[in-house]
Amino acid sequence: MTTTHMIVLPGDTIPASSLPISTNPNKALTLGPGLRHIPPNTIKATISGALTTDVRKNATWIEYNSGRYQPSPSDLVIAIIASSVSESYTCTLTPYAPPTTLPHLSFESATKKTRPVLPLQSLVYARILPFSRYTTPELTCIDPSTGKADGLGPLKGGMVFDISLAMARRLLAGAKGGVMVLEMLAEKLVFEVAVGRNGVIWVEGGNVTVTLKVGMAVQEVDRGGLGVEGQRALVEKVLRGL
């Protein structure tokens, strides 16, 4: 469960009382976007936004609106295969983000003989591994805690729709993010979605009409800042048009 504590400004020191308290003493605190650790025990904000924590993941970060995506460890992203070399793919997250790499064997049960062969411009749903400012971000399609794909991997068919970074964060937060349109549509329609923190949503509705309607509904909520009642009215409009 995520919790928002307060609004912070660049240079603010984060009080210990606002940090998550993990039930696992061996699990280190994970700092996400907008926070910097200053040894030995000081954590400062580097951007303005809402300080947010996730106790289950023992993680904290700053939610903020930004027009340009910056890769961050643990982010779920939708990547485009740009090229392939001997042992990895080079992937694009956005036109402005640095390229990332995806090892050929970073798929569930992959071996040199069974790994997926992905053509250029293919889409993959992946997670960003920890990296330093001096290294190229690396992606994986395996959950390290289970060794399984758990929903990650190549995305086949469907369409992608651009959304704001704030909307991507809200969708990944589920109902707690205030975006109910997908849950409402799923009560009447069958479709799959994958949300990338890099400002992309992939939708597969089984046919072009459903796919377009679902993706464009999410974009309309994003543009209009619709609340729950506005989203309910939008869903009714979409269903009438099918």
Side-chain angles (χ1 to χ4, degrees), residues 35-38 46 70-71 73 98 129-137:
L35 295 173
R36 179 186 179 190
H37 174 231
I38 300 177
T46 59
Q70 294 294 328
L129 293 172
F131 65 95
S132 75
R133 69 178 67 182
Y134 306 108
T135 59
T136 299

Side-chain angles (χ1 to χ4, degrees), residues 17-215:
S17 59
S18 295
L19 298 176
I21 301 176
S22 175
T23 56
N24 183 354
N26 297 320
K27 191 169 186 178
L29 175 66
T30 299
L31 298 183
L35 295 173
R36 179 186 179 190
H37 174 231
I38 300 177
N41 299 312
T42 301
I43 297 175
K44 287 186 175 290
T46 59
I47 57 177
S48 302
L51 178 67
T52 306
T53 60
D54 187 324
V55 175
R56 183 175 60 85
K57 297 180 180 178
N58 196 29
T60 183
W61 65 94
I62 295 177
E63 290 283 2
Y64 65 101
N65 286 323
S66 171
R68 181 173 295 186
Y69 173 72
Q70 294 294 328
S72 182
S74 298
D75 277 0
L76 290 169
V77 294
I78 295 175
I80 301 173
I81 302 297
S83 64
S84 178
V85 293
S86 59
E87 297 184 352
S88 65
Y89 296 105
T90 298
C91 301
T92 301
L93 300 183
T94 75
Y96 308 104
T100 58
T101 61
L102 174 62
H104 289 164
L105 300 183
S106 289
F107 298 87
E108 182 179 350
S109 303
T111 67
K112 290 186 177 180
K113 292 185 178 181
T114 64
R115 66 178 179 82
V117 178
L118 304 177
L120 301 187
Q121 301 304 305
S122 295
L123 300 174
V124 291
Y125 197 37
R127 186 181 298 277
I128 299 179
L129 293 172
F131 65 95
S132 75
R133 69 178 67 182
Y134 306 108
T135 59
T136 299
E138 183 175 308
L139 307 178
T140 182
C141 291
I142 302 173
D143 186 324
S145 63
T146 64
K148 303 292 185 180
D150 292 337
L152 303 178
L155 296 174
K156 299 179 181 179
M159 299 180 184
V160 291
F161 301 84
D162 292 331
I163 55 177
S164 69
L165 299 185
M167 176 57 107
R169 291 193 294 269
R170 292 172 65 195
L171 288 170
L172 288 168
K176 299 181 183 68
V179 183
M180 309 291 291
V181 64
L182 291 176
E183 287 83 355
M184 294 176 185
L185 287 169
E187 293 176 0
K188 300 293 184 179
L189 303 174
V190 177
F191 57 88
E192 296 178 79
V193 299
V195 180
R197 196 72 182 262
N198 51 325
V200 181
I201 181 172
W202 170 85
V203 182
E204 170 54 83
N207 61 66
V208 174
T209 300
V210 172
T211 299
L212 279 172
K213 292 289 187 180
V214 173

